[in-house]
Amino acid sequence: MWQSLPEFGTGVLYAILVTAAYTFAVGLASARGRPRLLQAARLGAYGTIALVGLAVLVLAYAFVSHDFRIAYVAQYSDRSMSTPYLIAALWGGQDGSLLWWMFLTALFSGGCVYWLRRRYLELQPYVIATLMSVMMFFAILMVFSTNPFQTSVAGAPVDGNGLNYQLRNFYMIIHPPSLYVGFTSAAVPFAFAIAALATGRLDSEWIIATRKWMLFSWLFLSIGNVLGMLWAYEELGWGGPWAWDPVENAAFLPWLTASAYVHSTMIQERRGMLKVWNVSLICMTFFLTIFGTFLTRSGLIASVHSFARSGIGIFFVYFMAVIFATCAALIIYRLPRLRGDDQFESALAREAKPPLDSWAFTSFLVFVVIIAVPLVHATASALGSLDPEAATLWFIIWIGGPAALAVTGLLVYRLRSLRSDGHFESLLSREAAFLFNNWGLFSIMIFIAVATVWPRISEWLLDQKSTLGPTFYNTWLPPVALVVFLLMGVAPLLGWRKTSPELFRKSFRWPVLATVVTAALHLTLGKKLGFAPFVAVDPIYPGQLGDALAKLASTYPFFTVALAAFNVAVVVQEFARGIAARQKRGGETFFASFYNLIARSRRRYGGYIVHVGIAVMFVGFAGRAWTVDKEISLRPGESVQIEEYRLTYAGPRMEVDTEKRMVFADLDVERHGVPVGRISPAKYIYKASPEAPSTEVALYPTLKNDLYVIIGMANPQTKVASFQMHVNNLISFMWFGAGILVLGALIAMWPDIALEEAGAFGYVRAAGSVTASVVFAFLLAGGPSLAYGEPIQQGYGRPILVAPGGAGVEGRAPPSGEAVQAGRAPAIDAMLPTAAEVRQPAFE
């Protein structure tokens, strides 16, 4: 077992499973009021965390020492890779990414256990047990299915295959860890929710602790999604940062529920309402992190982001079934306590035995597993003609679906019992606006989740193949998103409980005026500046429905800009009122009042800054409506005009390094008639995979727009090259808005300077804030280059590394000078140089 590094790593995985199971059992046993067992559970948690760290160090050492006996190391690295990419290869494949996931979960579990210490003594056993159950799941997964230390049957190769060229990108070094931090830290709020439901301690103290951890998770989910957008923009050649790819959607889903929670928790803290909803949101957020991992790794949905097809999907189905059944059962069991019924509390307090002891909780988990496993296998046997993914989906629909309907029916039946001590007194209240905002976010989440898996549902249950592309999402989602965007600005203007007519007029006067002025300017000057308020959209359906949706879609740019102005005006007004009040009361200077206003209420004003960031990002999203796409083929010396840019094709050339051939097409760029430099889109043909060349995008960014050029083919004989060109308007606003969002979240979660904040969670928040600050610095540092670009004086300049479209449909390049300019240009990556062509020494 211990004679080699692979065997040692496998032994560590077995040890993790044993210690996590031990800690889980001891934690549940300590719930019966045995403090010594609680201390043993804490020590067991630390031991499990240490073993996980050891496993990661062993795999990292295997990468840097090129131990190709390990199949995972041989598959995702080679001797030519630099150390940063060797470390990034840890999460570059499925096996290592699951180990990294468990490692991050272990870090947050350790931080949580250390922070708890003498806090929440009744909750601690269940918190530790829940966290260890998550660790047990991933340990089981790696021991029995995806062992990252597994050796190759054929023996150790001389060199490895190397990391996928798409992953050799700076953003891929920081994007997966950031997103995984957001995913894994959601386990801590989930553990608190389970502990509160199990013990019946459903007062406000646990929700306050949960809010801090959820804000931390939300911050890194935001950072991870933005970095993923940057990577997709620079490495996948989509022409934009978001294409509603299934894996993108999976990462976006928990962000939506986490966003809903950080708003609705304020209602529970202020009014004691929405207890069931808040607990459900926490459970849904964690469930969606597992669901997203399932989509990525099961092979259920095809995606350029997803890992290879494997048989681990059924493990995730088991785990998701356990999560759903446990959460639903505990919420239904605790409905009387969640409604805050004092008479029920008194009657329950008189009972001799605890409401839910550790044995009952353990028995329930065992019961769920025992029932779920035979059902899944029986389902798979009954559907023997289908592949495993079909059986998995059948289980989700026919077992999970009725269960979900049953739980929903019970919740509706008990709707009156769910009412808390308070109630909504007026629709014109802050809590009502928050609730409507939550409904909107939840509706978007449900829509995206169903649409993401719909192609498989349609294929298996309806026997029809269907695809739902970006056009479908961009047609149906914006109306709901704009309503949520409006509510984001309306909520701060309303008072708690109800808003008087006088306060309503006073609060809305200036924001509405700013919105009207912005809308008028957009209508008057928008078209002259290239940002028409209404843009013609082609119907996606025939008939009246398609026409109606197309007319509605044509108004999205106008309403987006108007609502962005409204949201920014609301935040400016809130800051102005706060500063004016402080100056009037204390005679402070403007800057002192501004600083103290934020310092004394970081959560509130940090949230306002986040709102500004989202408003700026919405303007960037609206810029897609004014994007201009063109596909054209050119001979050397020919030019093409696209918007304010004139591009002259200078000709192709080839460069060679140790791992690839690079075919460049040089384009001299003029903007408004002034030369600004040269850009060089390229095709990279790697020696390891010559059949799959990558497309490297050339990007000339400015504050107004980005010139984004992809080469489709360069004929080595005629030197005719085909290009796909995009002028992406206002896309820099996405990156600036993301930086503002991160800054606001940093302010909201920055630890207060107080003695009680010196605990472990203070360190976690500080570490998270520092990490997010570094990411924010990268965004800020990249902002000027993204906004203004750098004129290239000579040479071919710096091609921005963006992506392979891969082989597509056969076709020829358009005739020289012939262009197509309408909507998104069709993919031209099919027109690739063959291996024979690129080997010809035509581009010396």
Side-chain angles (χ1 to χ4, degrees):
M1 168 66 87
W2 311 103
Q3 295 177 355
S4 68
L5 190 67
E7 292 176 345
F8 179 76
T10 301
V12 173
L13 293 180
Y14 278 100
I16 292 170
L17 178 58
V18 171
T19 55
Y22 160 80
T23 307
F24 173 80
V26 172
L28 290 181
S30 68
R32 302 180 66 86
R34 302 170 68 179
R36 291 186 178 180
L37 288 182
L38 178 58
Q39 182 61 18
R42 293 169 57 84
L43 295 175
Y46 291 141
T48 305
I49 294 160
L51 287 171
V52 175
L54 176 61
V56 171
L57 288 175
V58 170
L59 187 59
Y61 176 76
F63 270 107
V64 298
S65 63
H66 305 298
D67 191 341
F68 297 127
R69 293 174 299 171
I70 299 176
Y72 181 74
V73 175
Q75 178 67 27
Y76 293 98
S77 70
D78 58 40
R79 297 183 186 276
S80 67
M81 287 170 56
S82 61
T83 301
Y85 285 119
L86 287 173
I87 300 301
L90 263 172
W91 52 80
Q94 180 164 269
D95 300 354
S97 69
L98 291 173
L99 179 61
W100 185 254
W101 186 295
M102 185 168 66
F103 172 66
L104 292 176
T105 303
L107 288 182
F108 289 114
S109 299
C112 177
V113 171
Y114 181 75
W115 170 69
L116 282 171
R117 284 178 291 184
R118 298 185 181 276
R119 297 183 180 94
Y120 310 106
L121 292 178
E122 292 188 33
L123 298 179
Q124 277 197 46
Y126 294 102
V127 171
I128 294 173
T130 303
L131 291 172
M132 289 302 105
S133 68
V134 178
M135 303 282 287
M136 287 169 58
F137 166 71
F138 283 99
I140 291 171
L141 197 61
M142 284 183 286
V143 166
F144 296 105
S145 182
T146 59
N147 184 355
F149 300 102
Q150 184 176 0
T151 57
S152 175
V153 177
V158 176
D159 198 1
N161 296 332
L163 189 65
N164 189 314
Y165 57 81
Q166 288 183 335
L167 305 182
R168 301 187 188 190
N169 180 283
F170 170 73
Y171 294 114
M172 277 307 296
I173 297 178
I174 59 177
H175 157 55
S178 299
L179 195 58
Y180 287 175
V181 166
F183 280 164
T184 55
S185 58
V188 176
F190 174 71
F192 271 99
I194 294 297
L197 289 168
T199 59
R201 292 182 60 87
L202 296 165
D203 48 16
S204 61
E205 61 176 355
W206 77 272
I207 205 80
I208 294 174
T210 301
R211 181 197 71 209
K212 297 176 182 178
W213 285 98
M214 187 63 85
L215 182 60
F216 182 90
S217 177
W218 179 88
L219 170 62
F220 278 91
L221 284 172
S222 303
I223 293 173
N225 276 285
V226 170
L227 292 176
M229 292 165 63
L230 279 166
W231 173 68
Y233 191 58
E234 295 190 2
E235 191 61 34
L236 294 183
W238 285 340
W242 194 271
W244 297 106
D245 181 79
V247 177
E248 286 182 317
N249 295 349
F252 187 44
L253 294 177
W255 184 90
L256 291 168
T257 53
S259 299
Y261 174 78
V262 297
H263 289 85
S264 64
T265 186
M266 288 187 282
I267 302 178
Q268 181 171 343
E269 293 172 18
R270 182 66 71 99
R271 298 289 312 278
M273 303 166 64
L274 300 183
K275 292 181 180 179
V276 176
W277 179 242
N278 285 329
V279 170
S280 300
L281 283 176
I282 292 175
C283 295
M284 277 190 287
T285 300
F286 180 73
F287 179 89
L288 289 172
T289 63
I290 303 300
F291 176 72
T293 311
F294 164 71
L295 282 184
T296 307
R297 291 163 172 80
S298 65
L300 184 71
I301 300 295
S303 166
V304 295
H305 294 73
S306 61
F307 295 93
R309 293 172 64 93
S310 67
I312 68 172
I314 199 66
F315 288 86
F316 282 96
V317 171
Y318 293 158
F319 192 46
M320 287 189 293
V322 170
I323 294 170
F324 177 81
T326 302
C327 295
L330 286 174
I331 289 173
I332 293 172
Y333 182 79
R334 291 300 183 189
L335 283 183
R337 284 182 177 269
L338 288 170
R339 72 175 185 174
D341 192 329
D342 295 333
Q343 293 181 355
F344 179 83
E345 296 281 353
S346 301
L348 192 59
R350 290 194 296 267
E351 294 185 6
K353 56 183 180 181
L356 184 64
D357 60 25
S358 58
W359 297 111
F361 187 61
T362 307
S363 300
F364 174 75
L365 291 179
V366 173
F367 174 80
V368 168
V369 173
I370 290 175
I371 293 299
V373 173
L375 283 175
V376 172
H377 285 290
T379 302
S381 299
L383 301 175
S385 59
L386 297 178
D387 56 86
E389 288 79 10
T392 299
L393 190 63
W394 194 97
F395 173 76
I396 294 173
I397 293 173
W398 296 106
I399 304 300
L405 291 175
V407 172
T408 304
L410 284 172
L411 292 176
V412 172
Y413 177 71
R414 292 294 187 184
L415 192 58
R416 291 188 177 182
S417 299
L418 297 181
R419 292 181 60 187
S420 304
D421 296 331
H423 60 278
F424 292 101
E425 298 180 15
S426 172
L427 290 177
L428 292 178
S429 63
R430 187 170 299 185
E431 52 265 42
F434 280 157
L435 181 61
F436 295 147
N437 180 283
N438 270 226
W439 285 352
L441 291 171
F442 184 74
S443 300
I444 293 173
M445 185 274 292
I446 293 295
F447 178 88
I448 294 175
V450 173
T452 301
V453 299
W454 177 254
R456 285 289 186 171
I457 296 174
S458 176
E459 181 180 348
W460 292 334
L461 300 184
L462 305 180
D463 197 24
Q464 294 180 351
K465 291 186 177 182
S466 64
T467 56
L468 301 178
T471 304
F472 173 82
Y473 290 93
N474 294 335
T475 299
W476 288 100
L477 274 180
V480 182
L482 289 175
V483 170
V484 173
F485 193 34
L486 172 63
L487 291 171
M488 187 181 81
V490 168
L493 301 178
L494 301 175
W496 293 101
R497 296 184 182 273
K498 62 170 58 178
T499 305
S500 65
E502 181 181 355
L503 178 62
F504 183 86
R505 288 192 297 268
K506 184 178 179 181
S507 298
F508 279 84
R509 182 187 308 148
W510 292 110
V512 170
L513 179 61
T515 304
V516 172
V517 170
T518 302
L521 290 174
H522 194 192
L523 289 170
T524 305
L525 304 176
K527 193 170 184 180
K528 296 179 182 179
L529 298 176
F531 305 114
F534 304 104
V535 179
V537 177
D538 295 329
I540 65 171
Y541 305 117
Q544 295 182 352
L545 175 61
D547 293 339
L549 289 173
K551 290 180 180 178
L552 182 63
S554 67
T555 66
Y556 294 160
F558 172 75
F559 285 112
T560 301
V561 172
L563 292 177
F566 177 75
N567 275 275
V568 172
V570 168
V571 174
V572 170
Q573 176 177 274
E574 291 297 304
F575 271 93
R577 286 180 174 180
I579 292 172
R582 292 193 65 87
Q583 288 182 319
K584 184 177 180 180
R585 184 171 59 251
E588 298 175 336
T589 64
F590 174 84
F591 292 105
S593 297
F594 179 79
Y595 174 81
N596 291 327
L597 183 71
I598 297 176
R600 297 296 174 83
S601 186
R602 289 192 178 98
R603 182 186 176 193
R604 177 182 178 183
Y605 290 97
Y608 287 156
I609 294 173
V610 169
H611 285 188
V612 172
I614 293 175
V616 174
M617 291 185 74
F618 261 79
V619 174
F621 297 146
R624 183 58 190 163
W626 301 299
T627 292
V628 177
D629 306 317
K630 179 176 289 189
E631 187 176 336
I632 192 170
S633 61
L634 299 171
R635 292 188 178 91
E638 291 185 333
S639 300
V640 61
Q641 186 80 28
I642 178 170
E643 293 296 284
E644 68 264 33
Y645 297 98
R646 183 174 181 82
L647 290 83
T648 301
Y649 177 41
R653 57 188 170 81
M654 178 180 286
E655 294 183 6
V656 180
D657 63 19
T658 57
E659 64 177 1
K660 61 184 178 295
R661 288 183 173 89
M662 297 166 283
V663 180
F664 294 95
D666 295 329
L667 293 162
D668 294 315
V669 181
E670 297 179 10
R671 188 169 189 249
H672 298 299
V674 178
V676 294
R678 172 174 286 186
I679 61 175
S680 301
K683 288 287 185 184
Y684 286 180
I685 300 93
Y686 288 82
K687 295 178 181 178
S689 55
E691 71 285 351
S694 69
T695 302
E696 309 298 321
V697 168
L699 182 66
Y700 182 80
T702 65
L703 181 63
K704 178 185 176 184
N705 55 40
D706 285 1
L707 175 63
Y708 188 99
V709 182
I710 306 168
I711 181 175
M713 180 189 71
N715 190 294
Q717 281 78 34
T718 64
K719 297 188 178 182
V720 173
S722 59
F723 299 94
Q724 186 178 356
M725 302 176 180
H726 307 273
V727 176
N728 296 324
N729 283 292
L730 303 182
I731 197 166
S732 62
F733 280 65
M734 292 189 190
W735 319 130
F736 286 132
I740 296 171
L741 181 149
V742 172
L743 175 63
L746 283 173
I747 292 172
M749 69 176 292
W750 196 267
D752 294 328
I753 303 176
L755 292 177
E756 61 268 22
E757 292 288 344
F761 187 72
Y763 295 124
V764 171
R765 292 171 67 190
S769 299
V770 170
T771 304
S773 298
V774 173
V775 176
F776 175 69
F778 278 118
L779 291 173
L780 194 62
S785 63
L786 288 171
Y788 302 106
E790 296 181 4
I792 302 169
Q793 303 300 329
Q794 57 184 335
Y796 62 84
R798 178 180 62 89
I800 299 294
L801 300 183
V802 179
V809 190
E810 293 185 359
R812 296 184 305 164
S816 177
E818 181 179 331
V820 179
Q821 183 172 353
R824 179 180 288 274
I828 61 173
D829 293 329
M831 298 178 287
L832 303 175
T834 64
E837 289 173 335
V838 298
R839 290 191 181 98
Q840 295 180 17
F843 303 145
E844 296 179 354

